[in-house]
Amino acid sequence: MTEHDDSCWFCNPSVRTDPPPGGWLLESDVWRAGHAPAGYGPAGTVILECRRHVLDQAEFDEREAATYAAVTGLLVGAVRRVTGCDRVYQWATMDGFPHFHLWLVPWSRNDDLRGPRFLVDRLVTRDGCDAETAEQTASDLRAAVAAGV
Ligand SMILES: [Zn+2]
């Protein structure tokens, strides 16, 4: 496995030209997380990504394995706090690029769908939130993450 792949959207800033809305919510040498780009999901959708070019948890090194639950928990808590959702769905396929990334999607009891149907509707069928909403929500999430939720 390589540490970096120049053709990978997650690894190479010249492939991914747009930073996440409002900038990173969390950035370390192991992890990075941002609000999903406008149009990609409902407000509060966060994408956590590994800094190294690894496919999935089976390839995590010791630091990634040791911090994964804590970083995921921090973000899940922030999404719940900021959006008021009841659950935070976690979705990872590594389909577009073979680089570990986890989608966190807020779900509420009063949403019309649940489970995979909810994910397909909100991440595929619908347009997702607008740029202004994404940036405002990202700002609220950044504050929640900084406060440790
Ligand atoms: Zn990569």
Side-chain angles (χ1 to χ4, degrees):
M1 151 217 343
T2 56
E3 297 284 309
H4 179 93
D5 179 335
D6 280 340
S7 67
C8 175
W9 190 82
F10 294 95
C11 284
N12 189 343
S14 67
V15 177
R16 170 166 55 189
T17 52
D18 291 334
W24 298 106
L25 303 175
L26 171 158
E27 187 173 18
S28 74
D29 59 342
V30 181
W31 303 106
R32 185 152 82 167
H35 193 284
Y40 278 71
T45 299
V46 168
I47 303 171
L48 170 69
E49 60 189 72
C50 201
R51 298 302 299 265
R52 287 194 317 133
H53 187 74
V54 296
L55 176 63
D56 55 29
Q57 292 94 329
E59 297 180 353
F60 280 4
D61 66 16
E62 282 184 23
R63 293 177 69 210
E64 289 153 358
T67 56
Y68 177 57
V71 75
T72 306
L74 178 63
L75 292 168
V76 164
V79 170
R80 189 182 296 124
R81 163 77 61 90
V82 166
T83 66
C85 68
D86 294 302
R87 299 288 186 274
V88 178
Y89 281 15
Q90 302 179 36
W91 169 251
T93 63
M94 277 58 86
D95 182 45
F97 294 94
H99 183 133
F100 180 78
H101 58 288
L102 177 70
W103 288 66
L104 304 174
V105 188
W107 174 87
S108 295
R109 290 181 214 288
N110 57 7
D111 275 314
D112 55 338
L113 296 168
R114 63 196 311 151
R117 287 186 179 85
F118 171 81
L119 290 171
V120 168
D121 184 70
R122 298 314 198 272
L123 302 182
V124 180
T125 307
R126 296 196 194 190
D127 282 342
C129 72
D130 61 33
E132 187 180 335
T133 305
E135 285 188 22
Q136 180 58 54
T137 309
S139 171
D140 295 344
L141 285 166
R142 192 173 303 101
V145 166
V149 182

